[in-house]
Amino acid sequence: MSLDLLIPFGILLIMVIYLIYSRNTFEKDITKVYEEKFDEWKKHSTIEKEKTSHKELVGLVFKTDYKVNIELFDETVEPTLKRGKFEVSNVKDN
């Protein structure tokens, strides 16, 4: 009588072990494929570096009587000043 239940239990045990083994190999294969694709993506992707803007001293502004004079160190900004593409900000000393 106990032999009758031992055969189905053995088959069930063998199936469970096979399914666990096949699942582990499948997971390893999938992980390997995704790691390869990720490495390939890293090779082909372009990482854009952020361009940081910085202030650069290109001239001085002087006031004489009622007239404003701008003395430039770098002449490449002269067209920008002539077009009126500049910003005025107040700097107060505390």
Side-chain angles (χ1 to χ4, degrees):
M1 184 123 181
S2 64
L3 188 59
D4 294 338
L5 292 176
L6 190 60
I7 293 173
F9 182 73
I11 293 172
L12 182 64
L13 185 63
I14 291 171
M15 285 178 53
V16 168
I17 292 171
Y18 171 74
L19 291 174
I20 290 172
Y21 174 76
S22 65
R23 168 117 186 199
N24 283 339
T25 55
F26 175 74
E27 287 177 356
K28 286 179 184 177
D29 291 342
I30 292 295
T31 306
K32 183 179 174 185
V33 167
Y34 277 109
E35 286 176 354
E36 289 173 359
K37 291 210 182 260
F38 182 63
D39 290 337
E40 184 179 324
W41 175 79
K42 282 197 281 187
K43 288 179 187 175
H44 297 297
S45 70
T46 57
I47 299 173
E48 295 180 13
K49 295 181 182 177
E50 289 185 21
K51 293 182 180 178
T52 57
S53 61
H54 59 280
K55 291 183 179 181
E56 183 180 349
L57 183 63
V58 292
L60 298 173
V61 178
F62 296 103
K63 178 184 172 198
T64 55
D65 296 331
Y66 295 103
K67 191 174 182 181
V68 175
N69 295 326
I70 301 173
E71 295 180 7
L72 298 176
F73 301 131
D74 186 5
E75 294 176 356
T76 59
V77 294
E78 188 174 353
T80 306
L81 285 172
K82 286 184 179 177
R83 284 192 309 252
K85 302 261 182 177
F86 56 90
E87 200 174 294
V88 177
S89 60
N90 294 327
V91 178
K92 295 184 181 180
D93 295 331
N94 290 330

